[in-house]
Amino acid sequence: MVVYKHCDRFTAPKNGELFLSKRVRTAVFPVAGLGTRFLPATKAMPKEMLTVVDRPLIQYAVDEAREAGIEHFVFVTGRNKGVIEDHFDRQFELEATLELRGKTTALEELRKDLPSAGRTSFTRQQEPLGLGHAVWCARDIVGDNPFALLLPDMLFKGQPGVLKQMMDAYEETGGNVIAVAEMPEEEVSAYGIVARGEGPDTGFIITQMVEKPKREDAPSNLIISGRYILQPEVFNLLADQPRGAGGEIQITDAMQTMMHQQPFTGVKYQGQGFDCGSKIGFLTANVVYALDRPDIRDGFLKELRKLDLGGRL
Ligand code: UTP
């Protein structure tokens, strides 16, 4: 038997072979996309900095990763995305002014949101060739380690967060883990779909994966939802991955190949998901998050009631 040093555990055999799964310490955030569905807002500003109430989407994703125990945060950026790097840095002038004005709560909030020094890395995807290519751009930083992949435009309200729910499944199964959600059958052809094998909602075997199937060919109505735990072997597959749907290098295509070599577990997460890359998902998220905020709820409801929605609905 091969003995691996410095590994945390062995788990789930696939095809009779022992499969090694280390602890997940790193998360990758691809933020190099063009955000064309949100133009002109995203012409000069990154989509990932759009705010739901008063926090940028990227901050929610980082918070979710931190809650799940992630220690290192890797951002795959591109042109016009420098503000994301600034967001995760100190702002001494602002902090001094807040201090001077006695705005200690705001100051504490700002400091709390920051990952510690040395815990962030930024790499560049020079051309937006697709999500799979963006992930591949993080290969040298991630190295030979499993990693979490979070698409920041997917926002999840869950208790605990969706990545934490996936980490709990990973503790049991190792391998690769994907968050999935049910979707009405008439909408499945817009998404990556998984087929469900044995196991509970908190961790079932994925037996098949298809990208954007025709409704009649879809093996289920469970869509791949923007949160993944992946083993580093995916980088080798991405290196040779030809362009797929939309002419882009797709992560789902690489995962389909990897399914023949490694176990994949699905987690049907508890909570509500919002596709904030779409205008409708983004607006809905703002309403839901505002109504769930104790400091905003009453004032917001009052204004909503004053609106003459009758004529518009
Ligand atoms: P999306 O497909 O939702 O983002 O990718 P997009 O391409 O920016 O958006 P539209 O469709 O044109 O409106 C999900 C995530 O992957 C990143 C995006 O920044 C987003 O956070 N991404 C996508 C990259 O980093 N690089 C790419 O080449 C594509």
Side-chain angles (χ1 to χ4, degrees), residues 237-298:
L237 296 170
L238 286 170
D240 300 323
Q241 190 64 52
R243 290 173 189 245
E248 295 192 337
I249 297 169
Q250 300 285 355
I251 190 82
T252 310
D253 294 343
M255 292 194 304
Q256 272 171 334
T257 312
M258 201 152 88
M259 272 195 71
H260 300 298
Q261 298 144 16
Q262 297 192 4
F264 273 77
T265 300
V267 172
K268 200 171 143 208
Y269 62 85
Q270 296 285 317
Q272 202 175 357
F274 302 92
D275 177 5
C276 290
S278 82
K279 293 177 188 98
I280 307 251
F282 174 74
L283 293 169
T284 313
N286 265 292
V287 173
V288 171
Y289 274 70
L291 290 176
D292 283 355
R293 275 269 295 262
D295 58 328
I296 288 175
R297 181 186 162 79
D298 290 347

Short mmCIF file of all heavy atoms in Angstrom, two decimals, residues 237-298:
data_model
loop_
_atom_site.label_atom_id
_atom_site.label_comp_id
_atom_site.label_asym_id
_atom_site.label_seq_id
_atom_site.Cartn_x
_atom_site.Cartn_y
_atom_site.Cartn_z
N LEU A 237 -6.74 18.10 -15.99
CA LEU A 237 -7.79 17.94 -16.99
C LEU A 237 -8.10 19.28 -17.65
O LEU A 237 -8.30 19.37 -18.86
CB LEU A 237 -9.06 17.37 -16.35
CG LEU A 237 -8.90 15.96 -15.80
CD1 LEU A 237 -10.11 15.56 -14.98
CD2 LEU A 237 -8.70 14.97 -16.94
N LEU A 238 -8.12 20.35 -16.85
CA LEU A 238 -8.42 21.67 -17.39
C LEU A 238 -7.34 22.13 -18.37
O LEU A 238 -7.62 22.86 -19.33
CB LEU A 238 -8.57 22.70 -16.27
CG LEU A 238 -9.86 22.61 -15.46
CD1 LEU A 238 -9.79 23.50 -14.23
CD2 LEU A 238 -11.07 23.00 -16.32
N ALA A 239 -6.11 21.69 -18.13
CA ALA A 239 -5.00 22.09 -19.00
C ALA A 239 -5.26 21.70 -20.44
O ALA A 239 -4.87 22.41 -21.37
CB ALA A 239 -3.70 21.47 -18.49
N ASP A 240 -5.92 20.55 -20.65
CA ASP A 240 -6.16 20.06 -22.02
C ASP A 240 -7.62 20.18 -22.42
O ASP A 240 -8.04 19.59 -23.42
CB ASP A 240 -5.77 18.57 -22.11
CG ASP A 240 -4.31 18.37 -21.79
OD1 ASP A 240 -3.52 19.24 -22.17
OD2 ASP A 240 -3.97 17.36 -21.13
N GLN A 241 -8.39 20.89 -21.63
CA GLN A 241 -9.83 20.92 -21.88
C GLN A 241 -10.15 21.77 -23.11
O GLN A 241 -9.85 22.96 -23.12
CB GLN A 241 -10.52 21.51 -20.63
CG GLN A 241 -12.02 21.39 -20.63
CD GLN A 241 -12.47 19.94 -20.61
OE1 GLN A 241 -12.05 19.17 -19.77
NE2 GLN A 241 -13.29 19.58 -21.57
N PRO A 242 -10.75 21.18 -24.14
CA PRO A 242 -11.15 22.02 -25.28
C PRO A 242 -12.32 22.92 -24.91
O PRO A 242 -13.00 22.68 -23.91
CB PRO A 242 -11.57 21.00 -26.35
CG PRO A 242 -11.73 19.71 -25.67
CD PRO A 242 -11.10 19.78 -24.31
N ARG A 243 -12.56 23.94 -25.71
CA ARG A 243 -13.69 24.83 -25.46
C ARG A 243 -15.00 24.06 -25.58
O ARG A 243 -15.14 23.19 -26.43
CB ARG A 243 -13.70 25.97 -26.47
CG ARG A 243 -12.56 26.95 -26.24
CD ARG A 243 -12.51 27.96 -27.37
NE ARG A 243 -11.30 28.76 -27.28
CZ ARG A 243 -11.30 30.08 -27.06
NH1 ARG A 243 -12.42 30.74 -26.88
NH2 ARG A 243 -10.17 30.75 -27.00
N GLY A 244 -15.93 24.38 -24.70
CA GLY A 244 -17.22 23.69 -24.72
C GLY A 244 -18.34 24.67 -25.00
O GLY A 244 -18.20 25.56 -25.85
N ALA A 245 -19.44 24.54 -24.23
CA ALA A 245 -20.63 25.38 -24.44
C ALA A 245 -20.24 26.86 -24.46
O ALA A 245 -19.42 27.30 -23.64
CB ALA A 245 -21.65 25.12 -23.33
N GLY A 246 -20.80 27.62 -25.40
CA GLY A 246 -20.55 29.06 -25.50
C GLY A 246 -19.13 29.39 -25.91
O GLY A 246 -18.69 30.53 -25.75
N GLY A 247 -18.38 28.39 -26.41
CA GLY A 247 -16.99 28.63 -26.83
C GLY A 247 -16.06 28.85 -25.66
O GLY A 247 -14.93 29.31 -25.82
N GLU A 248 -16.51 28.51 -24.43
CA GLU A 248 -15.69 28.74 -23.24
C GLU A 248 -15.17 27.42 -22.66
O GLU A 248 -15.78 26.36 -22.88
CB GLU A 248 -16.54 29.44 -22.16
CG GLU A 248 -16.97 30.84 -22.59
CD GLU A 248 -17.55 31.64 -21.42
OE1 GLU A 248 -18.02 31.03 -20.45
OE2 GLU A 248 -17.52 32.88 -21.51
N ILE A 249 -14.07 27.48 -21.93
CA ILE A 249 -13.54 26.29 -21.27
C ILE A 249 -14.36 26.08 -19.99
O ILE A 249 -14.38 26.95 -19.11
CB ILE A 249 -12.04 26.45 -20.99
CG1 ILE A 249 -11.31 26.57 -22.34
CG2 ILE A 249 -11.50 25.28 -20.17
CD1 ILE A 249 -9.87 26.99 -22.27
N GLN A 250 -15.07 24.97 -19.94
CA GLN A 250 -16.09 24.75 -18.91
C GLN A 250 -15.58 23.81 -17.81
O GLN A 250 -15.00 22.77 -18.11
CB GLN A 250 -17.36 24.14 -19.53
CG GLN A 250 -18.01 24.99 -20.60
CD GLN A 250 -18.75 26.20 -20.03
OE1 GLN A 250 -18.86 26.36 -18.81
NE2 GLN A 250 -19.25 27.06 -20.90
N ILE A 251 -15.84 24.17 -16.57
CA ILE A 251 -15.44 23.32 -15.45
C ILE A 251 -16.24 22.01 -15.46
O ILE A 251 -15.73 20.94 -15.13
CB ILE A 251 -15.59 24.07 -14.10
CG1 ILE A 251 -14.94 23.30 -12.95
CG2 ILE A 251 -17.02 24.35 -13.73
CD1 ILE A 251 -13.49 23.48 -12.81
N THR A 252 -17.51 22.09 -15.89
CA THR A 252 -18.34 20.88 -15.88
C THR A 252 -17.76 19.81 -16.82
O THR A 252 -17.79 18.62 -16.50
CB THR A 252 -19.80 21.20 -16.30
OG1 THR A 252 -20.22 22.30 -15.51
CG2 THR A 252 -20.73 20.04 -16.06
N ASP A 253 -17.21 20.23 -17.95
CA ASP A 253 -16.63 19.26 -18.88
C ASP A 253 -15.46 18.52 -18.22
O ASP A 253 -15.33 17.30 -18.34
CB ASP A 253 -16.13 19.97 -20.16
CG ASP A 253 -17.28 20.56 -20.96
OD1 ASP A 253 -18.44 20.15 -20.72
OD2 ASP A 253 -17.03 21.44 -21.80
N ALA A 254 -14.62 19.26 -17.49
CA ALA A 254 -13.49 18.62 -16.81
C ALA A 254 -13.99 17.69 -15.70
O ALA A 254 -13.46 16.59 -15.49
CB ALA A 254 -12.56 19.69 -16.23
N MET A 255 -15.04 18.12 -15.00
CA MET A 255 -15.58 17.27 -13.91
C MET A 255 -16.18 15.99 -14.47
O MET A 255 -16.06 14.93 -13.86
CB MET A 255 -16.64 18.04 -13.11
CG MET A 255 -16.06 19.19 -12.31
SD MET A 255 -17.21 19.85 -11.09
CE MET A 255 -18.62 20.28 -12.06
N GLN A 256 -16.79 16.09 -15.65
CA GLN A 256 -17.37 14.89 -16.28
C GLN A 256 -16.28 13.84 -16.51
O GLN A 256 -16.48 12.66 -16.23
CB GLN A 256 -18.00 15.25 -17.63
CG GLN A 256 -19.44 15.68 -17.51
CD GLN A 256 -19.97 16.23 -18.81
OE1 GLN A 256 -19.21 16.73 -19.65
NE2 GLN A 256 -21.27 16.15 -18.98
N THR A 257 -15.12 14.26 -16.98
CA THR A 257 -14.01 13.33 -17.20
C THR A 257 -13.52 12.80 -15.86
O THR A 257 -13.26 11.59 -15.70
CB THR A 257 -12.84 14.05 -17.93
OG1 THR A 257 -13.38 14.76 -19.02
CG2 THR A 257 -11.78 13.07 -18.37
N MET A 258 -13.43 13.69 -14.87
CA MET A 258 -12.89 13.30 -13.57
C MET A 258 -13.79 12.29 -12.86
O MET A 258 -13.33 11.52 -12.02
CB MET A 258 -12.68 14.55 -12.71
CG MET A 258 -11.68 14.31 -11.60
SD MET A 258 -10.84 15.79 -11.12
CE MET A 258 -11.92 16.45 -9.91
N MET A 259 -15.07 12.32 -13.20
CA MET A 259 -16.02 11.39 -12.56
C MET A 259 -15.64 9.93 -12.79
O MET A 259 -16.02 9.06 -12.03
CB MET A 259 -17.42 11.60 -13.14
CG MET A 259 -18.20 12.64 -12.41
SD MET A 259 -19.92 12.52 -12.86
CE MET A 259 -20.37 11.02 -12.05
N HIS A 260 -14.89 9.67 -13.88
CA HIS A 260 -14.48 8.29 -14.16
C HIS A 260 -13.34 7.84 -13.23
O HIS A 260 -13.04 6.67 -13.13
CB HIS A 260 -14.02 8.14 -15.62
CG HIS A 260 -15.11 8.49 -16.59
ND1 HIS A 260 -16.29 7.79 -16.65
CD2 HIS A 260 -15.20 9.49 -17.50
CE1 HIS A 260 -17.07 8.33 -17.59
NE2 HIS A 260 -16.44 9.37 -18.10
N GLN A 261 -12.69 8.82 -12.58
CA GLN A 261 -11.53 8.50 -11.75
C GLN A 261 -11.74 8.72 -10.26
O GLN A 261 -11.05 8.14 -9.44
CB GLN A 261 -10.34 9.37 -12.19
CG GLN A 261 -9.91 9.14 -13.62
CD GLN A 261 -9.46 10.44 -14.29
OE1 GLN A 261 -9.18 11.44 -13.62
NE2 GLN A 261 -9.41 10.43 -15.61
N GLN A 262 -12.67 9.60 -9.91
CA GLN A 262 -12.81 10.00 -8.51
C GLN A 262 -14.28 10.08 -8.12
O GLN A 262 -15.12 10.35 -8.97
CB GLN A 262 -12.19 11.38 -8.30
CG GLN A 262 -10.71 11.43 -8.56
CD GLN A 262 -10.10 12.74 -8.05
OE1 GLN A 262 -10.79 13.57 -7.45
NE2 GLN A 262 -8.83 12.91 -8.29
N PRO A 263 -14.55 9.89 -6.80
CA PRO A 263 -15.95 10.01 -6.36
C PRO A 263 -16.43 11.46 -6.35
O PRO A 263 -15.67 12.38 -6.03
CB PRO A 263 -15.91 9.47 -4.92
CG PRO A 263 -14.50 9.56 -4.49
CD PRO A 263 -13.63 9.52 -5.71
N PHE A 264 -17.68 11.66 -6.70
CA PHE A 264 -18.36 12.95 -6.62
C PHE A 264 -19.59 12.79 -5.74
O PHE A 264 -20.39 11.87 -5.94
CB PHE A 264 -18.79 13.44 -8.01
CG PHE A 264 -17.73 14.22 -8.72
CD1 PHE A 264 -16.66 13.56 -9.32
CD2 PHE A 264 -17.79 15.60 -8.79
CE1 PHE A 264 -15.67 14.28 -9.98
CE2 PHE A 264 -16.81 16.33 -9.45
CZ PHE A 264 -15.74 15.68 -10.05
N THR A 265 -19.74 13.70 -4.79
CA THR A 265 -20.89 13.68 -3.88
C THR A 265 -21.73 14.92 -4.12
O THR A 265 -21.18 16.02 -4.28
CB THR A 265 -20.37 13.68 -2.42
OG1 THR A 265 -19.57 12.52 -2.23
CG2 THR A 265 -21.52 13.67 -1.42
N GLY A 266 -23.04 14.75 -4.11
CA GLY A 266 -23.94 15.90 -4.23
C GLY A 266 -24.48 16.27 -2.86
O GLY A 266 -24.77 15.40 -2.04
N VAL A 267 -24.61 17.57 -2.60
CA VAL A 267 -25.25 18.05 -1.37
C VAL A 267 -26.42 18.93 -1.78
O VAL A 267 -26.22 19.96 -2.44
CB VAL A 267 -24.26 18.86 -0.50
CG1 VAL A 267 -24.99 19.52 0.67
CG2 VAL A 267 -23.14 17.98 0.01
N LYS A 268 -27.63 18.47 -1.45
CA LYS A 268 -28.79 19.33 -1.71
C LYS A 268 -28.90 20.26 -0.51
O LYS A 268 -29.38 19.86 0.55
CB LYS A 268 -30.04 18.45 -1.87
CG LYS A 268 -31.14 19.15 -2.59
CD LYS A 268 -32.26 18.19 -2.91
CE LYS A 268 -33.57 18.91 -2.76
NZ LYS A 268 -34.66 18.04 -2.42
N TYR A 269 -28.40 21.47 -0.69
CA TYR A 269 -28.20 22.36 0.46
C TYR A 269 -29.52 22.83 1.05
O TYR A 269 -30.54 22.92 0.37
CB TYR A 269 -27.32 23.55 0.06
CG TYR A 269 -27.93 24.44 -1.01
CD1 TYR A 269 -28.82 25.46 -0.68
CD2 TYR A 269 -27.61 24.27 -2.34
CE1 TYR A 269 -29.37 26.27 -1.65
CE2 TYR A 269 -28.17 25.07 -3.32
CZ TYR A 269 -29.04 26.07 -2.96
OH TYR A 269 -29.60 26.87 -3.92
N GLN A 270 -29.43 23.17 2.33
CA GLN A 270 -30.55 23.82 3.03
C GLN A 270 -30.34 25.31 2.90
O GLN A 270 -29.27 25.82 3.23
CB GLN A 270 -30.49 23.48 4.53
CG GLN A 270 -30.68 22.02 4.87
CD GLN A 270 -32.13 21.62 4.72
OE1 GLN A 270 -33.02 22.36 5.12
NE2 GLN A 270 -32.35 20.47 4.11
N GLY A 271 -31.35 26.03 2.45
CA GLY A 271 -31.22 27.48 2.34
C GLY A 271 -31.76 27.96 1.02
O GLY A 271 -32.30 27.19 0.23
N GLN A 272 -31.59 29.28 0.81
CA GLN A 272 -32.15 29.90 -0.38
C GLN A 272 -31.00 30.43 -1.23
O GLN A 272 -30.09 31.07 -0.71
CB GLN A 272 -33.05 31.06 0.08
CG GLN A 272 -34.07 31.48 -0.90
CD GLN A 272 -34.99 32.56 -0.33
OE1 GLN A 272 -34.87 32.95 0.84
NE2 GLN A 272 -35.88 33.06 -1.15
N GLY A 273 -31.05 30.17 -2.53
CA GLY A 273 -29.99 30.63 -3.43
C GLY A 273 -30.50 31.73 -4.35
O GLY A 273 -31.65 31.70 -4.78
N PHE A 274 -29.62 32.69 -4.66
CA PHE A 274 -29.99 33.79 -5.56
C PHE A 274 -28.92 33.90 -6.64
O PHE A 274 -27.73 34.02 -6.30
CB PHE A 274 -30.05 35.12 -4.80
CG PHE A 274 -31.00 35.11 -3.65
CD1 PHE A 274 -30.56 34.76 -2.38
CD2 PHE A 274 -32.34 35.43 -3.84
CE1 PHE A 274 -31.44 34.73 -1.30
CE2 PHE A 274 -33.22 35.41 -2.77
CZ PHE A 274 -32.77 35.06 -1.50
N ASP A 275 -29.32 33.86 -7.90
CA ASP A 275 -28.37 34.06 -8.99
C ASP A 275 -28.22 35.56 -9.22
O ASP A 275 -28.97 36.16 -10.00
CB ASP A 275 -28.87 33.35 -10.25
CG ASP A 275 -27.93 33.59 -11.43
OD1 ASP A 275 -26.87 34.23 -11.23
OD2 ASP A 275 -28.25 33.15 -12.54
N CYS A 276 -27.26 36.14 -8.53
CA CYS A 276 -27.10 37.60 -8.60
C CYS A 276 -26.37 38.03 -9.86
O CYS A 276 -26.13 39.22 -10.05
CB CYS A 276 -26.38 38.10 -7.35
SG CYS A 276 -27.42 37.97 -5.89
N GLY A 277 -26.01 37.09 -10.72
CA GLY A 277 -25.49 37.44 -12.05
C GLY A 277 -26.63 37.83 -12.97
O GLY A 277 -26.41 38.37 -14.05
N SER A 278 -27.87 37.54 -12.55
CA SER A 278 -29.04 37.94 -13.34
C SER A 278 -29.74 39.07 -12.60
O SER A 278 -29.73 39.11 -11.36
CB SER A 278 -29.99 36.76 -13.53
OG SER A 278 -30.80 36.61 -12.38
N LYS A 279 -30.37 39.96 -13.34
CA LYS A 279 -30.99 41.14 -12.70
C LYS A 279 -32.10 40.72 -11.74
O LYS A 279 -32.22 41.24 -10.63
CB LYS A 279 -31.54 42.08 -13.76
CG LYS A 279 -30.45 42.72 -14.59
CD LYS A 279 -31.04 43.59 -15.69
CE LYS A 279 -29.97 44.08 -16.64
NZ LYS A 279 -29.85 43.31 -17.86
N ILE A 280 -32.89 39.73 -12.16
CA ILE A 280 -34.03 39.32 -11.32
C ILE A 280 -33.52 38.72 -10.00
O ILE A 280 -34.02 39.06 -8.92
CB ILE A 280 -34.90 38.30 -12.06
CG1 ILE A 280 -35.30 38.85 -13.42
CG2 ILE A 280 -36.09 37.84 -11.20
CD1 ILE A 280 -36.68 39.25 -13.66
N GLY A 281 -32.53 37.85 -10.09
CA GLY A 281 -31.98 37.22 -8.88
C GLY A 281 -31.38 38.26 -7.95
O GLY A 281 -31.55 38.22 -6.73
N PHE A 282 -30.69 39.23 -8.55
CA PHE A 282 -30.04 40.28 -7.78
C PHE A 282 -31.06 41.15 -7.05
O PHE A 282 -30.94 41.44 -5.86
CB PHE A 282 -29.19 41.12 -8.74
CG PHE A 282 -28.57 42.32 -8.12
CD1 PHE A 282 -27.48 42.21 -7.26
CD2 PHE A 282 -29.06 43.59 -8.38
CE1 PHE A 282 -26.90 43.32 -6.67
CE2 PHE A 282 -28.49 44.71 -7.81
CZ PHE A 282 -27.41 44.57 -6.95
N LEU A 283 -32.11 41.56 -7.78
CA LEU A 283 -33.14 42.41 -7.15
C LEU A 283 -33.88 41.65 -6.06
O LEU A 283 -34.14 42.18 -4.98
CB LEU A 283 -34.12 42.91 -8.23
CG LEU A 283 -33.50 43.88 -9.24
CD1 LEU A 283 -34.44 44.13 -10.41
CD2 LEU A 283 -33.14 45.20 -8.57
N THR A 284 -34.17 40.37 -6.32
CA THR A 284 -34.86 39.56 -5.31
C THR A 284 -34.00 39.44 -4.06
O THR A 284 -34.50 39.56 -2.93
CB THR A 284 -35.17 38.15 -5.87
OG1 THR A 284 -35.74 38.29 -7.16
CG2 THR A 284 -36.12 37.38 -4.98
N ALA A 285 -32.71 39.20 -4.26
CA ALA A 285 -31.81 39.05 -3.12
C ALA A 285 -31.82 40.32 -2.27
O ALA A 285 -31.87 40.26 -1.04
CB ALA A 285 -30.40 38.75 -3.60
N ASN A 286 -31.81 41.48 -2.93
CA ASN A 286 -31.81 42.74 -2.18
C ASN A 286 -33.05 42.88 -1.32
O ASN A 286 -32.98 43.31 -0.16
CB ASN A 286 -31.66 43.92 -3.14
CG ASN A 286 -30.22 44.35 -3.26
OD1 ASN A 286 -29.63 44.86 -2.31
ND2 ASN A 286 -29.61 44.08 -4.40
N VAL A 287 -34.20 42.49 -1.88
CA VAL A 287 -35.45 42.59 -1.11
C VAL A 287 -35.40 41.64 0.09
O VAL A 287 -35.66 42.02 1.24
CB VAL A 287 -36.67 42.28 -2.01
CG1 VAL A 287 -37.95 42.22 -1.18
CG2 VAL A 287 -36.80 43.34 -3.10
N VAL A 288 -35.01 40.38 -0.16
CA VAL A 288 -35.00 39.38 0.91
C VAL A 288 -34.00 39.76 2.01
O VAL A 288 -34.31 39.72 3.20
CB VAL A 288 -34.70 37.97 0.34
CG1 VAL A 288 -34.48 36.96 1.45
CG2 VAL A 288 -35.82 37.52 -0.59
N TYR A 289 -32.78 40.16 1.59
CA TYR A 289 -31.76 40.49 2.60
C TYR A 289 -32.15 41.74 3.39
O TYR A 289 -31.89 41.83 4.58
CB TYR A 289 -30.38 40.66 1.93
CG TYR A 289 -29.65 39.35 1.77
CD1 TYR A 289 -30.10 38.39 0.86
CD2 TYR A 289 -28.53 39.04 2.54
CE1 TYR A 289 -29.44 37.19 0.71
CE2 TYR A 289 -27.86 37.82 2.40
CZ TYR A 289 -28.32 36.91 1.48
OH TYR A 289 -27.67 35.70 1.34
N ALA A 290 -32.79 42.70 2.71
CA ALA A 290 -33.20 43.92 3.42
C ALA A 290 -34.30 43.59 4.44
O ALA A 290 -34.27 44.07 5.58
CB ALA A 290 -33.69 44.97 2.43
N LEU A 291 -35.24 42.74 4.03
CA LEU A 291 -36.34 42.40 4.95
C LEU A 291 -35.85 41.55 6.13
O LEU A 291 -36.49 41.52 7.17
CB LEU A 291 -37.46 41.67 4.19
CG LEU A 291 -38.25 42.55 3.22
CD1 LEU A 291 -39.27 41.74 2.44
CD2 LEU A 291 -38.95 43.71 3.94
N ASP A 292 -34.72 40.87 5.95
CA ASP A 292 -34.18 40.06 7.05
C ASP A 292 -33.21 40.83 7.95
O ASP A 292 -32.67 40.27 8.89
CB ASP A 292 -33.46 38.82 6.48
CG ASP A 292 -34.47 37.76 6.03
OD1 ASP A 292 -35.67 37.97 6.25
OD2 ASP A 292 -34.04 36.75 5.47
N ARG A 293 -32.97 42.10 7.63
CA ARG A 293 -32.04 42.89 8.44
C ARG A 293 -32.82 43.68 9.48
O ARG A 293 -33.60 44.58 9.14
CB ARG A 293 -31.28 43.87 7.53
CG ARG A 293 -30.07 43.27 6.89
CD ARG A 293 -28.81 43.46 7.71
NE ARG A 293 -28.44 44.85 7.84
CZ ARG A 293 -27.52 45.46 7.09
NH1 ARG A 293 -26.89 44.81 6.15
NH2 ARG A 293 -27.22 46.72 7.29
N PRO A 294 -32.60 43.40 10.76
CA PRO A 294 -33.37 44.07 11.81
C PRO A 294 -33.24 45.60 11.75
O PRO A 294 -34.20 46.31 12.03
CB PRO A 294 -32.74 43.55 13.11
CG PRO A 294 -31.94 42.36 12.73
CD PRO A 294 -31.63 42.45 11.28
N ASP A 295 -32.09 46.12 11.30
CA ASP A 295 -31.92 47.58 11.29
C ASP A 295 -32.58 48.24 10.08
O ASP A 295 -32.66 49.47 10.01
CB ASP A 295 -30.41 47.94 11.32
CG ASP A 295 -29.65 47.34 10.14
OD1 ASP A 295 -30.04 46.24 9.67
OD2 ASP A 295 -28.67 47.96 9.68
N ILE A 296 -33.04 47.46 9.12
CA ILE A 296 -33.57 48.03 7.88
C ILE A 296 -35.04 47.67 7.67
O ILE A 296 -35.82 48.42 7.10
CB ILE A 296 -32.72 47.52 6.69
CG1 ILE A 296 -31.37 48.19 6.72
CG2 ILE A 296 -33.39 47.79 5.35
CD1 ILE A 296 -30.42 47.71 5.69
N ARG A 297 -35.41 46.50 8.16
CA ARG A 297 -36.72 45.91 7.86
C ARG A 297 -37.89 46.91 8.01
O ARG A 297 -38.62 47.13 7.05
CB ARG A 297 -36.93 44.69 8.78
CG ARG A 297 -38.24 44.00 8.53
CD ARG A 297 -38.50 42.88 9.52
NE ARG A 297 -39.90 42.56 9.49
CZ ARG A 297 -40.46 41.81 8.56
NH1 ARG A 297 -39.73 41.29 7.61
NH2 ARG A 297 -41.75 41.59 8.55
N ASP A 298 -38.03 47.51 9.15
CA ASP A 298 -39.21 48.33 9.39
C ASP A 298 -39.28 49.53 8.45
O ASP A 298 -40.32 49.79 7.84
CB ASP A 298 -39.26 48.80 10.85
CG ASP A 298 -39.54 47.62 11.78
OD1 ASP A 298 -39.93 46.55 11.26
OD2 ASP A 298 -39.35 47.77 13.01
#
